[in-house]
Coordinates of all heavy atoms in Angstrom, one line a residue:
K1 N 65.4 -21.4 -75.8 CA 66.5 -20.4 -75.4 C 67.4 -21.0 -74.4 O 68.6 -20.7 -74.5 CB 65.8 -19.1 -74.8 CG 65.2 -18.3 -75.9 CD 64.7 -17.0 -75.4 CE 64.1 -16.2 -76.5 NZ 63.5 -14.9 -76.1
L2 N 66.9 -21.8 -73.5 CA 67.8 -22.5 -72.5 C 68.8 -23.4 -73.2 O 70.0 -23.3 -72.9 CB 67.0 -23.2 -71.5 CG 67.7 -24.0 -70.4 CD1 68.6 -23.1 -69.6 CD2 66.8 -24.8 -69.5
E3 N 68.3 -24.2 -74.1 CA 69.1 -25.1 -74.8 C 70.1 -24.4 -75.7 O 71.3 -24.8 -75.8 CB 68.3 -26.2 -75.6 CG 69.1 -27.3 -76.2 CD 70.0 -28.0 -75.2 OE1 69.7 -28.1 -74.0 OE2 71.1 -28.6 -75.7
A4 N 69.6 -23.3 -76.4 CA 70.5 -22.5 -77.3 C 71.7 -21.9 -76.4 O 72.8 -21.9 -76.8 CB 69.7 -21.4 -78.0
A5 N 71.3 -21.4 -75.2 CA 72.3 -20.8 -74.3 C 73.3 -21.9 -73.9 O 74.5 -21.6 -73.9 CB 71.6 -20.2 -73.1
R6 N 72.8 -23.1 -73.6 CA 73.7 -24.2 -73.2 C 74.7 -24.5 -74.3 O 75.9 -24.7 -74.1 CB 72.9 -25.4 -72.8 CG 73.6 -26.5 -72.2 CD 72.7 -27.6 -71.8 NE 72.0 -27.3 -70.5 CZ 70.7 -27.5 -70.3 NH1 69.9 -27.9 -71.2 NH2 70.2 -27.2 -69.1
Q7 N 74.2 -24.6 -75.6 CA 75.0 -25.0 -76.7 C 76.0 -23.9 -77.0 O 77.2 -24.2 -77.3 CB 74.1 -25.2 -78.0 CG 73.2 -26.4 -77.9 CD 73.9 -27.7 -77.7 OE1 75.0 -27.9 -78.2 NE2 73.3 -28.7 -77.0
M8 N 75.6 -22.6 -76.9 CA 76.6 -21.5 -77.1 C 77.7 -21.6 -76.1 O 78.9 -21.3 -76.4 CB 75.9 -20.2 -77.1 CG 75.1 -19.9 -78.4 SD 74.4 -18.3 -78.4 CE 75.8 -17.2 -78.7
T9 N 77.3 -21.9 -74.9 CA 78.3 -22.0 -73.8 C 79.3 -23.1 -74.1 O 80.5 -22.9 -73.9 CB 77.6 -22.2 -72.4 OG1 76.7 -21.1 -72.2 CG2 78.6 -22.2 -71.3
Y10 N 78.8 -24.3 -74.5 CA 79.7 -25.4 -74.8 C 80.6 -25.1 -76.0 O 81.8 -25.4 -76.0 CB 78.9 -26.6 -75.1 CG 78.2 -27.2 -73.9 CD1 77.0 -28.1 -74.1 CD2 78.6 -27.0 -72.6 CE1 76.4 -28.6 -73.0 CE2 77.9 -27.6 -71.5 CZ 76.8 -28.4 -71.7 OH 76.2 -28.9 -70.7
V11 N 80.1 -24.4 -77.0 CA 80.9 -24.0 -78.1 C 82.0 -23.1 -77.7 O 83.2 -23.2 -78.0 CB 80.0 -23.3 -79.2 CG1 80.9 -22.6 -80.3 CG2 79.1 -24.3 -79.9
A12 N 81.7 -22.1 -76.9 CA 82.7 -21.1 -76.4 C 83.7 -21.8 -75.5 O 84.9 -21.6 -75.6 CB 82.0 -20.0 -75.6
A13 N 83.3 -22.8 -74.7 CA 84.2 -23.6 -73.9 C 85.2 -24.4 -74.7 O 86.4 -24.4 -74.5 CB 83.5 -24.5 -72.9
A14 N 84.6 -25.0 -75.8 CA 85.5 -25.8 -76.7 C 86.5 -24.9 -77.4 O 87.7 -25.3 -77.5 CB 84.6 -26.5 -77.7
K15 N 86.0 -23.7 -77.8 CA 87.0 -22.8 -78.5 C 88.1 -22.3 -77.5 O 89.2 -22.1 -77.9 CB 86.2 -21.6 -79.0 CG 85.4 -21.9 -80.3 CD 84.6 -20.7 -80.8 CE 83.9 -21.0 -82.1 NZ 84.8 -21.4 -83.2
S16 N 87.7 -22.2 -76.2 CA 88.7 -21.8 -75.2 C 89.7 -22.9 -75.1 O 90.9 -22.6 -75.0 CB 88.0 -21.5 -73.9 OG 88.9 -21.2 -72.9
Q17 N 89.3 -24.1 -75.0 CA 90.2 -25.2 -74.8 C 91.2 -25.4 -76.0 O 92.3 -25.7 -75.8 CB 89.4 -26.5 -74.6 CG 88.9 -26.7 -73.2 CD 88.6 -28.2 -72.9 OE1 88.2 -28.9 -73.7 NE2 88.8 -28.5 -71.6
R18 N 90.6 -25.1 -77.2 CA 91.4 -25.2 -78.4 C 92.3 -24.0 -78.7 O 93.2 -24.0 -79.5 CB 90.5 -25.5 -79.7 CG 89.9 -26.9 -79.7 CD 89.3 -27.1 -81.1 NE 88.3 -26.1 -81.5 CZ 87.0 -26.3 -81.3 NH1 86.5 -27.4 -80.8 NH2 86.2 -25.3 -81.7
G19 N 91.9 -22.9 -78.0 CA 92.6 -21.6 -78.3 C 92.3 -21.0 -79.6 O 93.1 -20.4 -80.3
D20 N 91.0 -21.2 -80.1 CA 90.6 -20.7 -81.4 C 90.7 -19.2 -81.4 O 90.5 -18.5 -80.5 CB 89.2 -21.1 -81.7 CG 89.0 -22.6 -82.0 OD1 90.1 -23.3 -82.0 OD2 87.9 -23.0 -82.2
A21 N 91.0 -18.7 -82.6 CA 91.2 -17.2 -82.8 C 89.9 -16.4 -82.6 O 89.9 -15.2 -82.3 CB 91.7 -16.9 -84.2
D22 N 88.7 -17.1 -82.8 CA 87.5 -16.4 -82.7 C 86.8 -16.5 -81.3 O 85.6 -16.3 -81.1 CB 86.5 -16.8 -83.8 CG 86.3 -18.3 -83.8 OD1 86.9 -19.0 -83.0 OD2 85.5 -18.7 -84.7
L23 N 87.6 -17.0 -80.3 CA 87.1 -17.2 -79.0 C 86.5 -15.9 -78.4 O 85.5 -16.0 -77.7 CB 88.2 -17.7 -78.1 CG 87.9 -17.7 -76.6 CD1 86.7 -18.7 -76.3 CD2 89.1 -18.1 -75.8
T24 N 87.1 -14.7 -78.6 CA 86.7 -13.5 -78.0 C 85.2 -13.2 -78.4 O 84.4 -12.9 -77.6 CB 87.6 -12.3 -78.5 OG1 88.9 -12.6 -78.1 CG2 87.1 -11.0 -77.8
F25 N 84.9 -13.4 -79.7 CA 83.5 -13.2 -80.2 C 82.6 -14.2 -79.5 O 81.5 -13.8 -79.0 CB 83.5 -13.3 -81.7 CG 82.0 -13.1 -82.2 CD1 81.5 -11.9 -82.5 CD2 81.2 -14.2 -82.4 CE1 80.2 -11.7 -82.9 CE2 79.9 -14.1 -82.8 CZ 79.4 -12.8 -83.1
F26 N 82.9 -15.4 -79.6 CA 82.0 -16.5 -79.1 C 81.9 -16.4 -77.6 O 80.8 -16.8 -77.1 CB 82.4 -17.8 -79.6 CG 82.0 -18.1 -81.0 CD1 82.8 -17.8 -82.1 CD2 80.7 -18.6 -81.3 CE1 82.4 -17.9 -83.4 CE2 80.3 -18.8 -82.6 CZ 81.1 -18.4 -83.7
G27 N 82.9 -16.1 -76.9 CA 82.9 -16.0 -75.4 C 81.9 -14.9 -75.0 O 81.0 -15.0 -74.2
A28 N 82.0 -13.7 -75.7 CA 81.1 -12.6 -75.4 C 79.7 -12.9 -75.8 O 78.7 -12.6 -75.1 CB 81.6 -11.3 -76.2
A29 N 79.5 -13.6 -77.0 CA 78.2 -14.0 -77.4 C 77.5 -14.9 -76.5 O 76.3 -14.8 -76.2 CB 78.3 -14.6 -78.8
A30 N 78.3 -15.9 -76.0 CA 77.7 -16.9 -75.1 C 77.3 -16.3 -73.8 O 76.2 -16.5 -73.2 CB 78.7 -18.0 -74.8
K31 N 78.2 -15.4 -73.2 CA 77.9 -14.7 -72.0 C 76.6 -13.9 -72.1 O 75.7 -13.9 -71.3 CB 79.1 -13.8 -71.6 CG 79.0 -13.3 -70.2 CD 78.3 -12.0 -70.0 CE 78.3 -11.5 -68.6 NZ 77.4 -10.3 -68.4
C32 N 76.5 -13.1 -73.2 CA 75.4 -12.2 -73.4 C 74.1 -13.0 -73.6 O 73.1 -12.8 -72.9 CB 75.6 -11.5 -74.7 SG 75.7 -9.7 -74.6
Y33 N 74.1 -14.0 -74.5 CA 72.9 -14.8 -74.8 C 72.4 -15.6 -73.6 O 71.2 -15.6 -73.3 CB 73.2 -15.7 -76.0 CG 71.9 -16.3 -76.5 CD1 71.1 -15.7 -77.4 CD2 71.4 -17.5 -75.9 CE1 69.9 -16.2 -77.8 CE2 70.2 -18.1 -76.3 CZ 69.4 -17.4 -77.3 OH 68.2 -17.9 -77.7
A34 N 73.4 -16.2 -72.9 CA 73.0 -17.1 -71.8 C 72.4 -16.2 -70.6 O 71.4 -16.6 -70.0 CB 74.2 -17.9 -71.3
S35 N 73.0 -15.1 -70.3 CA 72.5 -14.3 -69.2 C 71.2 -13.6 -69.6 O 70.3 -13.5 -68.7 CB 73.6 -13.2 -68.8 OG 74.0 -12.4 -69.9
D36 N 71.0 -13.2 -70.8 CA 69.7 -12.6 -71.3 C 68.6 -13.7 -71.2 O 67.5 -13.4 -70.8 CB 69.8 -12.0 -72.7 CG 70.5 -10.7 -72.7 OD1 70.8 -10.1 -71.6 OD2 70.9 -10.2 -73.8
A37 N 69.0 -14.9 -71.6 CA 68.0 -16.0 -71.6 C 67.6 -16.3 -70.1 O 66.5 -16.5 -69.8 CB 68.6 -17.3 -72.3
A38 N 68.6 -16.3 -69.2 CA 68.4 -16.6 -67.8 C 67.4 -15.6 -67.2 O 66.5 -15.9 -66.5 CB 69.7 -16.7 -67.0
M39 N 67.7 -14.3 -67.6 CA 66.8 -13.3 -67.0 C 65.4 -13.4 -67.6 O 64.4 -13.3 -66.8 CB 67.4 -11.9 -67.4 CG 66.7 -10.7 -66.7 SD 67.0 -10.8 -65.0 CE 65.5 -10.0 -64.4
E40 N 65.3 -13.7 -68.8 CA 63.9 -13.8 -69.4 C 63.2 -15.0 -68.8 O 62.0 -14.9 -68.5 CB 64.0 -14.0 -70.9 CG 62.7 -13.9 -71.6 CD 62.8 -14.0 -73.2 OE1 63.9 -13.6 -73.7 OE2 61.9 -14.5 -73.8
I41 N 63.9 -16.1 -68.7 CA 63.2 -17.3 -68.2 C 62.9 -17.2 -66.7 O 61.8 -17.5 -66.3 CB 64.2 -18.5 -68.4 CG1 64.4 -18.9 -69.9 CG2 63.7 -19.8 -67.6 CD1 65.6 -19.7 -70.2
A42 N 63.8 -16.6 -65.9 CA 63.5 -16.4 -64.5 C 62.3 -15.4 -64.3 O 61.5 -15.5 -63.4 CB 64.7 -15.9 -63.8
T43 N 62.3 -14.3 -65.2 CA 61.2 -13.3 -65.1 C 59.9 -14.0 -65.4 O 58.8 -13.8 -64.8 CB 61.5 -12.1 -66.0 OG1 62.7 -11.6 -65.6 CG2 60.4 -11.1 -65.9
D44 N 59.9 -14.8 -66.4 CA 58.6 -15.6 -66.8 C 58.2 -16.5 -65.6 O 57.0 -16.7 -65.4 CB 58.9 -16.4 -68.0 CG 58.9 -15.6 -69.3 OD1 58.5 -14.4 -69.2 OD2 59.2 -16.1 -70.4
A45 N 59.2 -17.1 -64.9 CA 58.8 -18.0 -63.8 C 58.2 -17.2 -62.7 O 57.2 -17.7 -62.1 CB 60.1 -18.7 -63.3
V46 N 58.7 -16.0 -62.4 CA 58.1 -15.1 -61.4 C 56.6 -14.8 -61.8 O 55.7 -14.9 -61.0 CB 58.9 -13.8 -61.2 CG1 58.1 -12.8 -60.4 CG2 60.2 -14.2 -60.5
Q47 N 56.5 -14.4 -63.1 CA 55.1 -14.0 -63.6 C 54.2 -15.2 -63.5 O 53.0 -15.0 -63.2 CB 55.3 -13.5 -65.1 CG 54.0 -12.9 -65.6 CD 53.7 -11.6 -65.0 OE1 54.6 -10.9 -64.4 NE2 52.5 -11.2 -65.0
L48 N 54.7 -16.4 -63.8 CA 53.8 -17.6 -63.8 C 53.2 -17.8 -62.4 O 52.1 -18.2 -62.3 CB 54.7 -18.8 -64.2 CG 54.0 -20.1 -64.4 CD1 53.2 -20.1 -65.7 CD2 55.0 -21.3 -64.4
L49 N 54.0 -17.5 -61.4 CA 53.6 -17.8 -60.0 C 52.9 -16.6 -59.4 O 52.5 -16.6 -58.3 CB 54.8 -18.2 -59.2 CG 55.4 -19.5 -59.6 CD1 56.7 -19.8 -58.8 CD2 54.5 -20.7 -59.5
G50 N 52.8 -15.5 -60.2 CA 52.1 -14.3 -59.7 C 52.7 -13.8 -58.4 O 54.0 -13.7 -58.3
G51 N 51.9 -13.4 -57.4 CA 52.4 -12.8 -56.2 C 53.4 -13.7 -55.5 O 54.3 -13.2 -54.9
Y52 N 53.1 -15.0 -55.5 CA 54.0 -15.9 -54.8 C 55.4 -15.9 -55.4 O 56.4 -16.1 -54.7 CB 53.4 -17.4 -54.9 CG 52.2 -17.6 -54.0 CD1 51.1 -18.1 -54.5 CD2 52.3 -17.3 -52.7 CE1 49.9 -18.3 -53.8 CE2 51.2 -17.5 -51.8 CZ 50.0 -18.0 -52.4 OH 48.9 -18.2 -51.6
G53 N 55.4 -15.7 -56.8 CA 56.7 -15.6 -57.4 C 57.5 -14.4 -56.9 O 58.8 -14.5 -56.9
Y54 N 56.9 -13.4 -56.6 CA 57.5 -12.1 -56.2 C 58.0 -12.1 -54.8 O 59.0 -11.4 -54.4 CB 56.5 -10.9 -56.4 CG 57.1 -9.6 -56.1 CD1 57.9 -9.0 -57.0 CD2 56.7 -8.9 -55.0 CE1 58.4 -7.7 -56.8 CE2 57.3 -7.6 -54.7 CZ 58.1 -7.0 -55.6 OH 58.6 -5.8 -55.4
T55 N 57.4 -12.9 -53.9 CA 57.7 -12.9 -52.5 C 59.0 -13.7 -52.2 O 59.4 -14.6 -53.0 CB 56.6 -13.4 -51.6 OG1 56.5 -14.8 -51.9 CG2 55.3 -12.7 -51.8
R56 N 59.6 -13.3 -51.1 CA 60.9 -14.1 -50.7 C 60.6 -15.4 -50.1 O 61.5 -16.2 -49.7 CB 61.7 -13.2 -49.7 CG 62.3 -12.0 -50.3 CD 63.4 -11.4 -49.4 NE 64.2 -10.5 -50.2 CZ 65.1 -9.7 -49.7 NH1 65.2 -9.6 -48.4 NH2 65.8 -8.9 -50.4
D57 N 59.3 -15.8 -49.9 CA 58.9 -17.1 -49.4 C 59.2 -18.2 -50.3 O 59.3 -19.4 -49.9 CB 57.4 -17.1 -49.0 CG 57.0 -16.1 -48.0 OD1 57.9 -15.7 -47.2 OD2 55.8 -15.7 -47.9
Y58 N 59.4 -17.9 -51.6 CA 59.6 -18.9 -52.6 C 60.8 -18.6 -53.4 O 61.3 -17.5 -53.5 CB 58.4 -19.0 -53.5 CG 57.1 -19.5 -52.8 CD1 56.2 -18.5 -52.3 CD2 56.9 -20.8 -52.6 CE1 55.1 -18.9 -51.6 CE2 55.8 -21.2 -51.9 CZ 54.9 -20.3 -51.4 OH 53.8 -20.7 -50.6
P59 N 61.5 -19.6 -54.0 CA 62.8 -19.5 -54.5 C 63.0 -18.7 -55.8 O 64.0 -18.2 -56.1 CB 63.3 -20.9 -54.7 CG 62.1 -21.8 -54.8 CD 61.1 -21.1 -54.0
V60 N 61.9 -18.5 -56.6 CA 62.1 -17.9 -57.9 C 62.5 -16.4 -57.9 O 63.2 -15.9 -58.8 CB 60.9 -18.1 -58.9 CG1 60.8 -19.6 -59.3 CG2 59.6 -17.6 -58.3
E61 N 62.1 -15.7 -56.8 CA 62.5 -14.3 -56.7 C 64.0 -14.2 -56.6 O 64.7 -13.3 -57.2 CB 61.8 -13.5 -55.7 CG 62.1 -13.8 -54.2 CD 63.4 -13.1 -53.7 OE1 63.8 -12.1 -54.2 OE2 64.0 -13.7 -52.7
R62 N 64.6 -15.1 -55.8 CA 66.1 -15.2 -55.7 C 66.7 -15.6 -57.1 O 67.7 -15.0 -57.5 CB 66.4 -16.2 -54.6 CG 67.9 -16.4 -54.5 CD 68.7 -15.2 -54.1 NE 70.1 -15.3 -54.3 CZ 71.0 -15.6 -53.4 NH1 70.6 -15.9 -52.1 NH2 72.3 -15.7 -53.6
M63 N 66.0 -16.5 -57.8 CA 66.6 -16.9 -59.1 C 66.6 -15.7 -60.0 O 67.5 -15.6 -60.8 CB 65.7 -18.0 -59.7 CG 65.8 -19.4 -58.9 SD 64.7 -20.5 -59.6 CE 64.8 -21.9 -58.4
M64 N 65.5 -14.9 -60.0 CA 65.5 -13.7 -60.8 C 66.6 -12.7 -60.5 O 67.3 -12.2 -61.4 CB 64.1 -13.0 -60.8 CG 63.9 -11.9 -61.8 SD 62.3 -11.3 -61.9 CE 62.2 -10.2 -60.6
R65 N 66.9 -12.5 -59.2 CA 68.0 -11.6 -58.8 C 69.3 -12.2 -59.2 O 70.2 -11.5 -59.7 CB 67.9 -11.3 -57.3 CG 66.8 -10.4 -57.0 CD 66.9 -9.9 -55.5 NE 66.5 -11.0 -54.6 CZ 67.3 -11.4 -53.6 NH1 68.5 -10.9 -53.4 NH2 66.9 -12.4 -52.8
D66 N 69.4 -13.5 -59.1 CA 70.7 -14.2 -59.5 C 70.9 -14.1 -61.0 O 72.0 -13.9 -61.5 CB 70.7 -15.7 -59.0 CG 70.9 -15.8 -57.6 OD1 71.3 -14.8 -56.9 OD2 70.7 -16.9 -57.0
A67 N 69.8 -14.2 -61.7 CA 69.9 -14.1 -63.2 C 70.3 -12.6 -63.6 O 71.1 -12.4 -64.5 CB 68.6 -14.5 -63.9
K68 N 69.7 -11.7 -62.9 CA 70.0 -10.2 -63.2 C 71.5 -9.9 -63.1 O 72.0 -9.2 -64.0 CB 69.2 -9.3 -62.3 CG 69.3 -7.9 -62.6 CD 68.7 -7.5 -63.9 CE 69.4 -6.5 -64.6 NZ 68.9 -6.2 -66.0
I69 N 72.1 -10.4 -62.0 CA 73.5 -10.0 -61.9 C 74.4 -10.6 -63.0 O 75.4 -10.0 -63.4 CB 74.1 -10.5 -60.5 CG1 75.5 -9.8 -60.2 CG2 74.2 -12.0 -60.3 CD1 75.5 -8.3 -60.2
T70 N 74.0 -11.7 -63.6 CA 74.8 -12.3 -64.7 C 74.8 -11.4 -65.9 O 75.6 -11.5 -66.8 CB 74.3 -13.7 -65.1 OG1 73.0 -13.7 -65.7 CG2 74.4 -14.6 -63.9
Q71 N 73.8 -10.5 -66.0 CA 73.8 -9.5 -67.1 C 74.7 -8.3 -66.8 O 75.0 -7.5 -67.7 CB 72.4 -8.9 -67.4 CG 71.4 -10.0 -67.9 CD 70.0 -9.4 -68.1 OE1 69.5 -8.7 -67.2 NE2 69.5 -9.5 -69.3
I72 N 75.1 -8.2 -65.6 CA 75.9 -7.0 -65.1 C 77.4 -7.4 -64.9 O 78.3 -6.7 -65.5 CB 75.3 -6.4 -63.8 CG1 73.9 -5.9 -64.1 CG2 76.3 -5.4 -63.3 CD1 73.2 -5.5 -62.8
Y73 N 77.7 -8.5 -64.2 CA 79.1 -8.7 -63.9 C 79.8 -9.5 -65.0 O 79.1 -9.9 -65.9 CB 79.3 -9.3 -62.5 CG 78.8 -10.7 -62.1 CD1 78.3 -11.5 -63.0 CD2 78.8 -11.1 -60.8 CE1 77.9 -12.8 -62.7 CE2 78.4 -12.3 -60.4 CZ 77.9 -13.2 -61.3 OH 77.5 -14.4 -61.0
E74 N 81.1 -9.7 -64.8 CA 81.9 -10.3 -65.8 C 81.8 -9.5 -67.1 O 81.9 -10.1 -68.2 CB 81.6 -11.8 -66.1 CG 81.8 -12.7 -64.9 CD 83.3 -12.8 -64.5 OE1 84.2 -12.6 -65.4 OE2 83.6 -13.0 -63.3
G75 N 81.7 -8.2 -67.0 CA 81.5 -7.4 -68.2 C 80.0 -7.3 -68.5 O 79.4 -8.3 -68.8
T76 N 79.5 -6.1 -68.4 CA 78.0 -5.9 -68.7 C 77.7 -6.3 -70.1 O 78.6 -6.3 -71.0 CB 77.6 -4.4 -68.5 OG1 78.2 -3.6 -69.5 CG2 77.9 -3.9 -67.1
N77 N 76.5 -6.7 -70.3 CA 76.1 -7.2 -71.7 C 76.2 -6.1 -72.7 O 76.5 -6.4 -73.9 CB 74.7 -7.8 -71.6 CG 74.7 -9.2 -71.0 OD1 75.7 -9.6 -70.5 ND2 73.6 -9.9 -71.1
Q78 N 76.1 -4.8 -72.3 CA 76.3 -3.7 -73.3 C 77.7 -3.7 -73.7 O 78.0 -3.6 -74.9 CB 75.9 -2.4 -72.6 CG 74.4 -2.1 -72.5 CD 73.8 -2.9 -71.3 OE1 74.5 -3.3 -70.3 NE2 72.5 -3.2 -71.4
V79 N 78.6 -3.9 -72.8 CA 80.1 -3.9 -73.1 C 80.4 -5.2 -73.9 O 81.2 -5.2 -74.9 CB 80.9 -3.8 -71.8 CG1 82.4 -4.0 -72.2 CG2 80.7 -2.4 -71.2
Q80 N 79.8 -6.3 -73.6 CA 80.0 -7.5 -74.3 C 79.6 -7.3 -75.8 O 80.2 -7.9 -76.7 CB 79.2 -8.7 -73.7 CG 79.7 -9.1 -72.3 CD 81.1 -9.7 -72.3 OE1 81.7 -10.0 -73.3 NE2 81.6 -9.9 -71.1
R81 N 78.5 -6.6 -76.0 CA 78.0 -6.3 -77.4 C 79.1 -5.5 -78.1 O 79.3 -5.7 -79.3 CB 76.7 -5.7 -77.4 CG 75.6 -6.7 -77.0 CD 74.2 -6.1 -77.2 NE 73.2 -7.2 -77.0 CZ 72.7 -7.5 -75.8 NH1 73.0 -6.8 -74.7 NH2 71.8 -8.5 -75.6
I82 N 79.7 -4.6 -77.4 CA 80.8 -3.8 -78.1 C 81.9 -4.7 -78.4 O 82.5 -4.6 -79.6 CB 81.3 -2.6 -77.1 CG1 80.2 -1.6 -76.9 CG2 82.5 -2.0 -77.7 CD1 80.5 -0.6 -75.8
V83 N 82.3 -5.6 -77.5 CA 83.3 -6.6 -77.8 C 83.0 -7.4 -79.0 O 83.8 -7.6 -79.9 CB 83.5 -7.5 -76.6 CG1 84.5 -8.7 -76.9 CG2 84.1 -6.7 -75.4
M84 N 81.7 -7.9 -79.1 CA 81.3 -8.7 -80.3 C 81.4 -7.9 -81.6 O 81.9 -8.4 -82.6 CB 79.8 -9.1 -80.1 CG 79.7 -10.4 -79.3 SD 78.0 -11.0 -79.4 CE 77.3 -10.1 -78.0
A85 N 81.0 -6.6 -81.5 CA 81.0 -5.8 -82.7 C 82.4 -5.6 -83.2 O 82.7 -5.5 -84.4 CB 80.4 -4.4 -82.4
R86 N 83.4 -5.5 -82.3 CA 84.8 -5.3 -82.7 C 85.4 -6.5 -83.1 O 86.5 -6.5 -83.7 CB 85.5 -4.7 -81.5 CG 85.2 -3.3 -81.2 CD 86.0 -2.7 -80.0 NE 85.6 -1.3 -79.7 CZ 85.8 -0.8 -78.5 NH1 86.4 -1.4 -77.5 NH2 85.5 0.5 -78.3
N87 N 84.8 -7.7 -82.9 CA 85.4 -9.0 -83.2 C 84.5 -9.8 -84.1 O 84.4 -11.0 -84.0 CB 85.7 -9.8 -82.0 CG 86.8 -9.2 -81.2 OD1 88.0 -9.4 -81.5 ND2 86.5 -8.4 -80.2
L88 N 83.7 -9.1 -85.0 CA 82.8 -9.8 -85.8 C 83.6 -10.8 -86.7 O 84.6 -10.4 -87.3 CB 82.0 -8.9 -86.7 CG 80.7 -8.2 -86.0 CD1 80.2 -7.1 -86.9 CD2 79.7 -9.2 -85.7
P89 N 83.1 -12.1 -86.8 CA 83.9 -13.0 -87.6 C 83.8 -12.7 -89.1 O 82.9 -12.0 -89.5 CB 83.3 -14.4 -87.3 CG 82.1 -14.2 -86.4 CD 82.0 -12.7 -86.1
Ligands
LIG1 C1 78.2 -8.4 -57.4 C2 79.3 -7.9 -58.4 C3 80.4 -8.7 -58.4 C4 81.5 -8.3 -59.3 N1 82.6 -9.0 -59.3 C5 83.7 -8.6 -60.0 C6 84.9 -9.3 -60.0 O1 85.1 -10.3 -59.2 N2 85.9 -8.8 -60.7 C7 85.8 -7.7 -61.5 O2 86.8 -7.4 -62.2 N3 84.6 -7.1 -61.6 C8 83.6 -7.5 -60.9 N4 82.4 -6.8 -60.9 C9 82.3 -5.6 -61.9 C10 81.4 -6.0 -63.1 O3 82.0 -7.1 -63.8 C11 81.1 -4.9 -64.0 O4 82.3 -4.6 -64.8 C12 80.8 -3.6 -63.3 O5 79.8 -3.8 -62.4 C13 80.4 -2.5 -64.4 O6 80.7 -1.3 -63.8 P1 79.5 -0.4 -63.1 O7 78.7 -1.3 -62.2 O8 80.2 0.7 -62.4 O9 78.6 0.1 -64.3 P2 78.9 1.3 -65.3 O10 80.2 1.1 -65.9 O11 78.7 2.6 -64.5 O12 77.8 1.1 -66.3 C14 76.4 1.5 -66.0 C15 75.6 1.1 -67.2 O13 76.0 1.7 -68.4 C16 76.3 0.7 -69.4 N5 77.5 1.2 -70.2 C17 78.7 1.5 -69.7 N6 79.5 1.9 -70.7 C18 78.8 1.7 -71.9 C19 79.1 1.9 -73.2 N7 80.3 2.3 -73.7 N8 78.1 1.6 -74.1 C20 76.9 1.2 -73.7 N9 76.6 1.0 -72.4 C21 77.5 1.3 -71.5 C22 76.6 -0.5 -68.6 O14 76.4 -1.7 -69.4 C23 75.7 -0.5 -67.5 O15 74.4 -1.0 -67.9 C24 81.3 -7.1 -60.1 C25 80.1 -6.4 -60.1 C26 79.1 -6.8 -59.2 C27 77.8 -6.0 -59.2

């Protein structure tokens, strides 16, 4: 999922540089997929470390909060899905 998110981001960036007509769809898809993957991966990391993962003494709880905000800002993922639906290739 991490590598898929990276590839989708690179594809969207390339489309942005070229000014491709389907950039809106791919930009929304990359934002949605990468932020959902970040949240899932960070949540798994917290679970892996158990109680230590949850406490502020270790960095993964911060990583999970940082991942969470990426699903909310720059257009929430629900709104990004509406954008994708309206711009289906
Ligand atoms: C820390 C932070 C920094 C930000 N920085 C910026 C910035 O620099 N510039 C900027 O322009 N904005 C910024 N934002 C705003 C951000 O990009 C979101 O647009 C904004 O947070 C969403 O509005 P809301 O929080 O009031 O949620 P609401 O609009 O109240 O939405 C609440 C929930 O309902 C869902 N929802 C809303 N409408 C629909 C719908 N039609 N269908 C399905 N679900 C829906 C949302 O996805 C969300 O889960 C920032 C937000 C935060 C938290």
Side-chain angles (χ1 to χ4, degrees):
K1 284 186 180 177
L2 177 62
E3 186 56 28
R6 189 175 281 133
Q7 294 297 328
M8 283 183 74
T9 303
Y10 289 157
V11 166
K15 286 180 179 296
S16 176
Q17 280 201 326
R18 288 192 301 263
D20 287 359
D22 55 359
L23 169 64
T24 303
F25 177 87
F26 280 92
K31 192 275 181 186
C32 240
Y33 189 87
S35 55
D36 284 349
M39 190 63 208
E40 189 178 333
I41 292 163
T43 303
D44 284 350
V46 168
Q47 189 70 23
L48 186 75
L49 297 173
Y52 288 127
Y54 183 76
T55 67
R56 287 192 164 168
D57 297 339
Y58 295 94
V60 289
E61 69 84 24
R62 174 64 196 265
M63 291 173 189
M64 189 169 79
R65 285 188 290 122
D66 286 348
K68 185 66 217 175
I69 192 60
T70 67
Q71 293 180 310
I72 296 170
Y73 66 10
E74 295 296 333
T76 66
N77 283 7
Q78 287 75 27
V79 172
Q80 296 291 352
R81 287 189 173 89
I82 294 170
V83 171
M84 276 189 273
R86 288 179 180 159
N87 290 275
L88 279 170

